[in-house]
Amino acid sequence: MALRQKKKLGDVLKEHKLITEEEILTALQNKQTKQKLGDALVEQGFITEKQLMEVLEIHLSIQSVSLYNFPVNVQLVEIVDKQFARDNILIPIQKHENILTVAMNDPLDYYAIDFLELSTGFIIKPVIATKDDILQAINKYYDLDSNFDQTDSVDEEAPAIRVLDQILQTGVTLKASDIHIDPFETKVSVRYRVDGTLRTEKTLPKNMLNALVARVKILSNLNITETRLPQDGRIRVMIDAKPVDLRISTLPASFGEKIVIRILDLTNIFKTLKELDFSDDTLNKYAQVIKKPSGLILLTGPTGSGKSTTLYGSINELNTEDVNIITIEDPVEYQLEGINQVQVNSTVGLTFAAGLRSILRQDPNIIMVGEIRDRETAEIAIRASLTGHLVFSTLHTNSAIAAIPRLFDMQVEPYLVVSALSAIMAQRLVKKICPDCKQERPVTSLEQDILSRHGITVDHLYEGVGCSSCRQTGYRGRIAIHELLIVDDMIKKMMMNNQDISLIRDYLKENKMCFLLDDGLQKVANGITTIEEVLRVATEE
């Protein structure tokens, strides 16, 4: 076993002037039990994973690799136990004579290196790779030899259990919002929705489908014999020692049952308002509006625009012992501590409207209605807000202003809408530039034109050039952009006089309201996202 100069990571980073002693102490104080210092520093935003890798590469003269396109020798994974590989974030990738090359997230982990040298008998040559890269490679290359292709397999269940575990683990590693298991004529495709975009990660043999569907149904307490009708269920599982809520949906399709698994990220939903990407001005105004004792606050945007996260964040802000908060949702996505949540069940007559009527007899202070879909629900929600309740709800409209005619279209009396409405928040999600491959670039004349029309002047913008951390996409993670319409006396007057929406928009522009595009372009100027992303979800009015 080679003798090594054991230098601490903190000292290496301090030498390169990337962090201070105080920042190390803060990171150590806030880190989770058993979490390594490097992970804690990256997670808490003191350094990026790329900076960490570059320092280790230079200081230790250790090569870094991107496993995304690396020719990994699949036979080698049998040498190292899968659980050990996951726990220590490493994977063997190449062997030359008696030297085993191992991709490691922490090449200073001498205990893991010593253990591997003892257990394998090889000299270990560490190379550096990102944490996500290694975990994705473990999910991809381990268990490849499971007998998926053996149609005469006696126990079909064992590989199905392993495959599903692997599919779910990959989903959590990729930070996917949904997993699609799609049956085709000769194969089964597994796709993951990451940052709003679907991509195929693996294909399975067609004969795996029935065992896989059965396994999903058993886990989520669905009817295993019913294959002709859609079914919905939910389940909480432990993945990497963390509880993860999954919402399951099955749908009979031409070549078998399609399954969609929604991964409900519990860490994301319990955000405070300050963590919800609001600009300072929008945050101050919104915080004031939700502190009012009554009124109707609407959130608008298409499916998957983060409305639930903002709603739950708002309710969490108001969730104290002295208020009674009741929600009616379809479905109840996240269970919240100290809040009474009601699940819509149309088959027994528990609709939004019926549930809302009952809620009003439960002495609530704050009510959340998952969605206003019809006149009856709209009317009860509005009347509730006029009788001293604070009511939150959502509408599917393209902008905050568009919510006004939508409520009128539902045949609700205009004077009720005008009296009840306090504020409307529209939001969208845009992809964030990957911090590890973010680069400065000059502004084009077209971009300068768009930015200057919105009062923004910059010398340069940023883009992600693509790296192993973001799987060559240039983007990693998403951020919300918002527009907040506070319904003041002038707008109420315009609404009562049935003024055209364009006149209300002109009034808001004169009063310097920050529209979706304004907020998005400000986040472009701050180097968080790109103009392409903002223009994908928001248009010039």
Side-chain angles (χ1 to χ4, degrees):
M1 208 182 302
L3 283 169
R4 299 185 182 88
Q5 175 201 2
K6 302 196 176 184
K7 196 158 195 174
K8 288 183 178 174
L9 177 64
D11 296 334
V12 175
L13 292 167
K14 276 195 299 185
E15 275 175 30
H16 285 79
K17 297 186 170 51
L18 281 174
I19 52 168
T20 61
E21 184 67 34
E22 291 74 34
E23 287 170 336
I24 292 174
L25 292 171
T26 306
L28 287 169
Q29 206 173 341
N30 298 331
K31 82 181 183 75
Q32 298 160 18
T33 319
K34 293 186 180 176
Q35 190 181 31
K36 291 182 177 174
L37 177 62
D39 287 344
L41 289 166
V42 171
E43 195 176 285
Q44 293 171 41
F46 290 116
I47 53 170
T48 67
E49 198 162 14
K50 187 183 179 187
Q51 286 175 321
L52 180 62
M53 280 177 65
E54 282 172 352
V55 164
L56 293 174
E57 198 173 356
I58 294 163
H59 184 81
L60 304 171
S61 305
I62 294 177
Q63 174 196 355
S64 72
V65 294
S66 166
L67 299 179
Y68 184 53
N69 296 316
F70 194 87
V72 173
N73 183 343
V74 182
Q75 272 73 44
L76 293 175
V77 297
E78 294 169 16
I79 297 172
V80 178
D81 175 67
K82 181 182 178 181
Q83 199 53 51
F84 181 82
R86 283 193 73 83
D87 290 346
N88 294 280
I89 313 173
L90 54 85
I91 186 169
I93 53 172
Q94 277 184 341
K95 184 173 83 71
H96 180 66
E97 294 175 351
N98 69 331
I99 296 171
L100 181 68
T101 304
V102 178
M104 302 181 71
N105 182 233
D106 179 9
L108 292 170
D109 187 348
Y110 300 117
Y111 296 106
I113 294 171
D114 291 349
F115 177 84
L116 286 176
E117 290 192 340
L118 281 168
S119 59
T120 64
F122 294 117
I123 295 167
I124 300 300
K125 177 191 170 190
V127 293
I128 310 169
T130 66
K131 182 180 178 179
D132 284 353
D133 224 4
I134 293 170
L135 290 174
Q136 284 166 33
I138 291 169
N139 289 332
K140 187 174 176 183
Y141 297 116
Y142 274 86
D143 294 336
L144 278 180
D145 62 339
S146 297
N147 47 354
F148 303 154
D149 300 312
Q150 296 179 13
T151 44
D152 58 344
S153 168
V154 178
D155 182 9
E156 272 195 322
E157 221 176 275
I161 292 169
R162 267 204 303 276
V163 173
L164 185 62
D165 287 351
Q166 204 176 341
I167 287 170
L168 294 177
Q169 219 158 32
T170 303
V172 170
T173 304
L174 288 171
K175 297 181 178 66
S177 60
D178 302 87
I179 304 171
H180 291 240
I181 299 171
D182 298 314
F184 295 108
E185 194 170 3
T186 57
K187 63 179 183 181
V188 178
S189 165
V190 181
R191 295 185 295 166
Y192 295 87
R193 190 177 292 282
V194 179
D195 294 340
T197 308
L198 268 174
R199 60 177 188 225
T200 304
E201 279 293 316
K202 61 175 78 179
T203 54
L204 302 170
K206 184 63 190 278
N207 64 300
M208 274 298 298
L209 181 66
N210 290 343
L212 200 55
V213 170
R215 177 67 187 155
V216 171
K217 286 182 175 178
I218 289 165
L219 278 178
S220 47
N221 291 322
L222 298 179
N223 183 349
I224 197 166
T225 60
E226 181 54 79
T227 58
R228 297 164 304 169
L229 290 173
Q231 295 186 67
D232 293 308
R234 66 184 303 151
I235 172 191
R236 178 169 285 195
V237 293
M238 297 297 286
I239 297 175
D240 294 341
K242 291 179 195 155
V244 178
D245 272 11
L246 306 173
R247 217 169 71 210
I248 313 291
S249 171
T250 72
L251 182 74
S254 304
F255 298 109
E257 285 181 274
K258 171 180 167 68
I259 294 172
V260 174
I261 301 169
R262 164 68 55 93
I263 300 173
L264 301 171
D265 183 356
L266 297 171
T267 56
N268 192 41
I269 208 71
F270 301 116
K271 284 185 169 179
T272 62
L273 288 183
K274 285 179 181 166
E275 297 171 306
L276 287 175
D277 316 321
F278 289 119
S279 66
D280 291 343
D281 185 47
T282 304
L283 176 62
N284 293 336
K285 286 178 181 170
Y286 186 65
Q288 282 174 1
V289 169
I290 67 169
K291 295 276 163 48
K292 289 182 178 177
S294 65
L296 176 63
I297 297 169
L298 290 176
L299 269 84
T300 76
T303 304
S305 58
K307 296 190 298 294
S308 296
T309 305
T310 305
L311 272 178
Y312 285 128
S314 308
I315 284 174
N316 271 336
E317 197 85 4
L318 304 168
N319 186 14
T320 54
E321 198 184 313
D322 57 346
V323 293
N324 179 17
I325 302 176
I326 307 180
T327 76
I328 179 155
E329 305 168 61
D330 184 21
V332 172
E333 291 198 13
Y334 300 90
Q335 270 88 27
L336 299 173
E337 189 74 32
I339 291 171
N340 304 285
Q341 293 170 276
V342 180
Q343 166 78 52
V344 165
N345 186 350
S346 303
T347 53
V348 295
L350 181 52
T351 60
F352 274 119
L356 192 46
R357 271 200 201 91
S358 301
I359 285 171
L360 289 170
R361 294 193 284 273
Q362 290 280 324
D363 183 32
N365 300 92
I366 298 164
I367 301 167
M368 182 188 115
V369 185
E371 189 187 336
I372 292 178
R373 295 177 182 168
D374 52 48
R375 176 190 173 177
E376 198 181 2
T377 311
E379 207 152 70
I380 302 165
I382 284 169
R383 287 188 188 276
S385 69
L386 291 173
T387 52
H389 304 91
L390 183 61
V391 181
F392 289 91
S393 192
T394 68
L395 271 180
H396 287 283
T397 61
N398 287 332
S399 65
I401 299 171
I404 296 170
R406 173 64 58 86
L407 287 173
F408 288 164
D409 289 346
M410 286 180 178
Q411 309 291 307
V412 182
E413 292 290 349
Y415 73 90
L416 289 177
V417 177
V418 171
S419 309
L421 209 50
S422 299
I424 309 163
M425 166 94 77
Q427 73 174 60
R428 297 287 188 283
L429 292 178
V430 292
K431 292 178 196 164
K432 285 161 70 175
I433 298 170
C434 172
D436 288 347
C437 60
K438 185 174 172 178
Q439 276 189 8
E440 210 177 274
R441 67 164 177 80
V443 189
T444 66
S445 56
L446 181 65
E447 289 168 338
Q448 193 65 69
D449 183 43
I450 294 168
L451 289 164
S452 58
R453 278 208 302 275
H454 293 265
I456 298 169
T457 312
V458 287
D459 302 325
H460 55 264
L461 292 177
Y462 294 89
E463 65 182 359
V465 292
C467 64
S468 58
S469 298
C470 60
R471 314 203 69 165
Q472 311 304 324
T473 60
Y475 295 105
R476 200 168 88 214
R478 289 190 290 176
I479 190 170
I481 60 172
H482 306 90
E483 67 181 25
L484 178 62
L485 192 169
I486 304 284
V487 183
D488 62 17
D489 291 339
M490 187 62 182
I491 293 173
K492 287 185 176 187
K493 193 174 170 185
M494 293 170 93
M495 284 165 69
M496 274 308 289
N497 293 329
N498 208 7
Q499 294 272 1
D500 195 80
I501 288 301
S502 61
L503 294 173
I504 298 179
R505 187 181 288 115
D506 292 342
Y507 167 74
L508 291 168
K509 280 182 178 171
E510 281 168 29
N511 282 269
K512 303 282 186 286
M513 175 176 143
C514 181
F515 289 88
L516 277 173
L517 196 58
D518 299 313
D519 191 36
L521 292 175
Q522 194 52 61
K523 282 167 179 161
V524 170
N526 294 343
I528 300 168
T529 186
T530 61
I531 282 192
E532 293 77 21
E533 267 301 291
V534 173
L535 293 178
R536 184 177 61 81
V537 298
T539 52
E540 293 264 15
E541 293 293 343

